[in-house]
Amino acid sequence: MSVDEKIGSVPYDIGPLPIGELPRLTPEEVLARISQQDVLVEFFSTPRDLESVLFKVGLVTDHSLVDDSTSNDPTFRGYVVEGGHSNCVSSGPDRPPTSEPTPNQIGCHVLVVVNGDTGEIRSESEIGE
């Protein structure tokens, strides 16, 4: 029996990989890709940001395309990457992070769901600290 774990507040679960089925991309390759993305580069601007990243690898299921059952949910080998640091707006609509704090900003890190075979970023969200 496999145990799936919900990933933050996004419609994804991560569970164990089938034996012998590792993602094509390594954690280092995934981190290199996400740390260069325009929206995410701010979270990975210092060596400490890169050193503090946590990886979970597993079979990721996307429940955002559910029809009433879970049989049609897209599933892929992937990574959940959590870490980095930036200043994020504490409320209101999504706004890009900035390097200088303002009164309505808080420290935050990012949670990213990545397809481990293609490198596609499937979801990203900011988490206040």
Side-chain angles (χ1 to χ4, degrees):
M1 180 175 149
S2 70
V3 176
D4 292 342
E5 175 186 342
K6 180 141 178 60
I7 302 171
S9 61
V10 297
Y12 291 91
D13 291 340
I14 187 167
L17 285 170
I19 295 173
E21 286 195 31
L22 294 175
R24 185 177 61 80
L25 299 172
T26 66
E28 293 79 15
E29 291 170 319
V30 168
L31 184 56
R33 286 178 185 223
I34 66 172
S35 66
Q36 295 171 2
Q37 295 291 319
D38 289 342
V39 176
L40 300 175
V41 71
E42 186 68 37
F43 287 94
F44 303 102
S45 60
T46 70
R48 185 171 183 214
D49 294 338
L50 295 170
E51 293 168 1
S52 66
V53 174
L54 301 174
F55 284 90
K56 287 184 186 175
V57 62
L59 203 57
V60 179
T61 303
D62 177 355
H63 299 290
S64 66
L65 304 173
V66 176
D67 60 2
D68 276 348
S69 72
T70 58
S71 62
N72 294 320
D73 294 349
T75 300
F76 55 92
R77 294 178 298 192
Y79 292 95
V80 176
V81 184
E82 188 168 358
H85 183 269
S86 187
N87 296 306
C88 301
V89 176
S90 60
S91 64
D94 288 342
R95 297 182 197 150
T98 63
S99 59
E100 294 299 320
T102 63
N104 64 337
Q105 290 186 328
I106 59 170
C108 66
H109 64 276
V110 68
L111 183 138
V112 184
V113 178
V114 181
N115 183 308
D117 293 328
T118 66
E120 175 190 8
I121 295 174
R122 300 295 299 262
S123 175
E124 60 192 59
S125 57
E126 299 169 356
I127 300 173
E129 297 174 343

